Amino acid sequence: MFGLMQQQSLLISSLIEFADRHHGDGEVVSRRVEGDIHRTTWSGVARRARQVAHALDGLHLGLSDRVGTLAWNGYRHLELYFGVSGSGRVLHTINPRLHPEQIAWIVNHAEDQVLCFDMTFLPLVQAFQAKCPTVRQWVALCDSDKLPTDTGIPNLISYEAWIGGQPTDYNWPQLDENTASSLCYTSGTTGNPKGALYSHRSTILHAYASALPDVMGVSARDAILPVVPMFHVNAWGIPYSAAMTGAKLVFPGPALDGKSVYELIEAEGVTFAAGVPTVWQMLLGHMMPTGLKFSTLKRTVIGGSACPPAMIDAFREDYGVDVLHAWGMTELSPLGTLCTLKNKHLKLPAAEQMRLRLKQGRCIYGIDMKIVDPNGQELPHDGKSAGDLLVKGPWVVASYFKHEGGDPLVDGWFPTGDVATIDADGFMQITDRSKDVVKSGGEWISSIDVENIAMAHPAVAMAACIGVKHPKWDERPIVCVVKKPGADVTREELLSFYEGRTAKWQIPDDVVFMDAIPIGATGKMLKTRLRDQLADYTLPDQR
Ligand code: AMP
């Protein structure tokens, strides 16, 4: 017997229609590429998303045709999120920090037919557009009078001219909820990038789950600042969960420096912000020397790479801001776990609570996870056994776009490439990317642990641990360190800082001071490039 409830597809168009109807005056504020602050409402976004849909119909784009974006976080990008996906096309967000050759490769692989870009990226587009024959229409996200005449890009129109004359009502198609909605390529540290192709259903389920109180806890009383880019994994789904709840959205545009982010948080009454650790480092770096405080910010979600304990401490102790450590990946839409305590943990002493907060957190409803040894045998959830992390759930990829790379699943589980422990309460802790683990004397050393200790030293701005070949131990860890401006620490001082903080054999063999650690397109440390840079390095006991 079937239930007798209404059958209704879970569609992205329903989010923007809901936000329009029930939170029409909810604010959407953006710092624009031009530097000024733009203000609109959910109704304004909905109206223009419908105009986007008409503009795409005008180009005779078919169901599931791809529309690329190279854009910062802002209202026009948000309109594209709903207008493109809502009308049955696939929104393909492209990371502008990639090399032009890589971007051209991705655009061609996706067969984008329209490509919308912020004016910041005009030179970038000029560099690769001739290599992208599938693109029929280039759209500059600007007013008509801001579009130069001599760009050399054929079929280029300004966004405002493109959507300006279009009708503001639209009948959103009643799609199958499994229809593709958006596409995001993985950062692809090895081989070509692969596309994660999200569906309307996976996106809505992810938005429901991510808004839960134990996840991001998004509500109509929030003003959210997604510093996480809309060009990478849909800004952690915040555009969708904000529309679902009617939260105010505050977009930082291209200004991600500490001063600009701080000013926006204060001016717009931001209650909740989400970003990768490097962005928060810049923010704290701006606030600390000047003694600035937050007046409205209550919580931040930090993920994308491990959040250093020193950062959690600073936010909580010095600024009264709750840090929620999150883990996820492109293939997971992206959220897998989020770290919030259970009721029983509230009675624990502060230090023990802190040990839990450092972990990447508990499974969100919808996601299941397990850890396995190299033979695929499941490992116990004892908080100690570390193994390869596998996940499954309705917003986890089943296959990559165009089935690139074959079937990625192992018995229905997606291997994340991360190594983790899971404790008896279900708290997962990433100890490493499997390729970054330092294997020393048959034991594994977590590069994240080594980095976190260095980061706790007051003179250290950034730390990256890598394994270096050793004839006896197989590999030994070294730590590469960037010092804070004006601060100093010697190799010996830093190595002695490790004593008592970790097992002796896990203390790195050396410290290499550097001006900068290479960072990839999604703000993560590029250890592959770091290893290349240190190709001629020899450990102290081998010199
Ligand atoms: P991406 O698909 O580019 O978002 O990268 C996903 C990868 O980032 C994961 O597989 C992890 O290796 C890493 N990652 C994401 N969040 C965290 C976190 N909170 N701690 C440690 N690593 C993380």
Side-chain angles (χ1 to χ4, degrees), residues 313-354:
D313 263 346
F315 268 115
R316 288 180 66 81
E317 306 305 324
D318 304 341
Y319 298 101
V321 172
D322 209 5
V323 170
L324 307 171
H325 197 185
W327 168 87
M329 56 198 307
T330 310
E331 289 89 337
L332 270 76
S333 311
L335 288 176
T337 64
L338 205 119
C339 196
T340 48
L341 303 188
K342 294 183 176 178
N343 198 15
K344 65 180 179 183
H345 299 131
L346 301 180
K347 298 187 206 84
L348 292 176
E352 279 184 56
Q353 288 192 9
M354 183 63 185

Side-chain angles (χ1 to χ4, degrees), residues 28-44:
V28 175
V29 179
S30 315
R31 193 193 293 279
R32 301 207 299 175
V33 170
E34 294 86 338
D36 61 340
I37 298 290
H38 174 275
R39 316 190 82 85
T40 182
T41 58
W42 277 112
S43 280

Side-chain angles (χ1 to χ4, degrees), residues 468-471 477-479 491-492 495 508-513 534 536-543:
V468 177
K469 286 265 163 279
H470 189 280
I478 63 165
V479 63
R491 171 186 183 276
E492 286 66 32
L495 291 180
D509 279 13
D510 201 6
V511 180
V512 177
F513 291 105
L534 293 170
D536 298 331
Y537 172 88
T538 38
L539 288 162
D541 70 349
Q542 303 299 309
R543 288 174 195 158

Side-chain angles (χ1 to χ4, degrees), residues 27 36 70 74 108 137 146 158 201 242 268 318 330 355 365 398 429 435 448 453 494 510 521 543:
E27 290 178 279
D36 61 340
L70 269 170
N108 288 330
Q137 181 70 63
K146 296 276 173 3
S158 81
R201 174 187 154 82
E268 297 303 328
D318 304 341
T330 310
R355 271 198 315 113
Y365 167 74
Q429 183 158 31
K435 56 187 183 307
I448 295 177
I453 295 174
L494 194 58
D510 201 6
R543 288 174 195 158

Side-chain angles (χ1 to χ4, degrees), residues 90 104 167 182 214 242 244 355:
V90 174
S182 59
D214 264 4
M244 183 176 267
R355 271 198 315 113

